[in-house]
Amino acid sequence: MSLAKEFLAAGPGCALANGLLNCFETTKVKLQLHDTTKPVYRSPTTRGIMLQIAHEEGIVRGLLTPGLSASLTRSMLYGAYRVGLYSTLRTRLSERGEDPTWVHRLVSGMITGGVGSMLSCPLDVVRTRMQADSGVIRNGRYVTGLRRGEAVRYRGMISAFWTIFRQEGLKNGLYRGASVTVARASLLNGAQLASYDTLKRQLKWEEGPMLHSFCALLSGVVAQTVIMPIDTIKSQMMLGNRWVDVAAILQKNGPFYLYRGWVPACAVKV
């Protein structure tokens, strides 16, 4: 398969998957940013938040569509690079005619994930903020969600792009937390694609949907577990926090705080 075909197959495929599972991405962001000192959600669990959002805002408006335009655009770009470029780079890194080793798979995944993440970082910032801000609006203010009582900042994806760029600039706005984002994507992609590739070769099952589905399920869980703490820190930084004091967070909330939102995050990855 040519590189162009790999790009065209990976981009729309990732966009479709992320679009269908946007409800879990929205829930994950809400969980990661929920402040226990100012509780908005009665039960800060995956099920509790999803049920409360569905009741207060509706399933479509509250769970399925927040940040969807930015999510689909990001998935097209990010997915094309992180998945579409992977097999080509893996083959190039290995010796000609030889099977790629797990090191080749890991490095290939980390490079393609990092490149894709750097290119799509502004879309990631916009998506995260739109999902964090989402809620029912009355008289220009939110009456539900994490920003309950506060004024509306963004009216849509283009509005979010322009507002963030105008108020915060490129480096401190649209590329806020880029180093953490790239590190997260490199670890995620390296762990996910390398474990998927390795599992598929080691199981020696008959090629087919069962093999691909099983390997995708396990590799998604492995990858998300590896990067979940970084994922939580990334969401905090993209929301606008210049510095995230991890030590203070752990002291106040315990180590499992960094794994808040793990269930919906895994649902998106697998």
Side-chain angles (χ1 to χ4, degrees):
M1 183 183 286
S2 68
L3 187 59
K5 287 183 178 179
E6 289 176 353
F7 269 51
L8 290 173
C14 289
L16 176 63
N18 278 273
L20 293 173
L21 297 172
N22 194 58
C23 57
F24 290 108
E25 191 68 36
T26 301
T27 305
K28 181 199 77 172
V29 170
K30 300 276 193 182
L31 265 169
Q32 289 175 331
L33 300 176
H34 186 251
D35 188 351
T36 54
T37 63
K38 301 175 183 177
V40 171
Y41 298 107
R42 294 183 293 273
S43 177
T45 63
T46 301
R47 181 175 181 273
I49 287 182
M50 292 185 83
L51 287 176
Q52 186 171 336
I53 290 175
H55 175 71
E56 293 179 347
E57 304 168 25
I59 295 175
V60 175
R61 183 176 180 178
L63 290 169
L64 299 180
T65 58
L68 184 60
S69 55
S71 184
L72 292 177
T73 309
R74 172 189 175 275
S75 296
M76 287 286 290
L77 179 62
Y78 178 51
Y81 273 91
R82 86 175 188 94
V83 179
L85 194 60
Y86 169 72
S87 59
T88 300
L89 184 59
R90 179 195 61 192
T91 303
R92 293 283 179 88
L93 288 177
S94 62
E95 295 294 332
R96 186 171 296 180
E98 291 187 7
D99 245 5
T101 66
W102 70 269
V103 175
H104 295 133
R105 298 170 199 143
L106 181 64
V107 172
S108 299
M110 292 182 73
I111 291 174
T112 58
V115 170
S117 180
M118 179 56 72
L119 291 173
S120 63
C121 186
L123 287 161
D124 208 1
V125 171
V126 169
R127 179 192 65 168
T128 300
R129 293 204 187 182
M130 290 177 71
Q131 288 174 334
D133 281 21
S134 63
V136 174
I137 303 169
R138 288 181 191 153
N139 300 320
R141 292 186 176 274
Y142 290 103
V143 295
T144 65
L146 294 175
R147 300 193 75 242
R148 184 175 298 183
E150 297 183 39
V152 174
R153 295 190 294 181
Y154 317 120
R155 294 290 179 178
M157 184 177 75
I158 302 301
S159 168
F161 261 110
W162 173 243
T163 302
I164 295 169
F165 177 72
R166 180 168 49 87
Q167 295 180 352
E168 304 170 45
L170 191 64
K171 180 181 178 181
N172 294 322
L174 291 174
Y175 272 92
R176 181 187 293 273
S179 57
V180 176
T181 302
V182 171
R184 171 196 174 275
S186 296
L187 287 172
L188 170 66
N189 213 46
Q192 186 172 21
L193 295 182
S195 58
Y196 172 84
D197 222 350
T198 302
L199 278 168
K200 195 171 73 169
R201 292 166 186 268
Q202 292 297 319
L203 287 174
K204 301 187 185 303
W205 291 359
E206 182 180 350
E207 188 75 20
M210 181 65 73
L211 173 63
H212 292 282
S213 298
F214 182 76
C215 292
L217 178 68
L218 285 184
S219 64
V221 172
V222 168
Q224 189 59 47
T225 302
V226 169
I227 59 95
M228 194 65 213
I230 301 177
D231 202 0
T232 302
I233 294 169
K234 175 184 78 81
S235 294
Q236 293 276 353
M237 292 184 72
M238 286 187 168
L239 189 65
N241 299 327
R242 291 184 180 279
W243 174 255
V244 178
D245 192 337
V246 179
I249 289 175
L250 293 175
Q251 185 177 10
K252 179 181 177 182
N253 302 287
F256 289 109
Y257 179 88
L258 294 178
Y259 276 87
R260 181 177 287 181
W262 180 81
V263 172
C266 281
V268 175
K269 292 298 177 291
V270 300

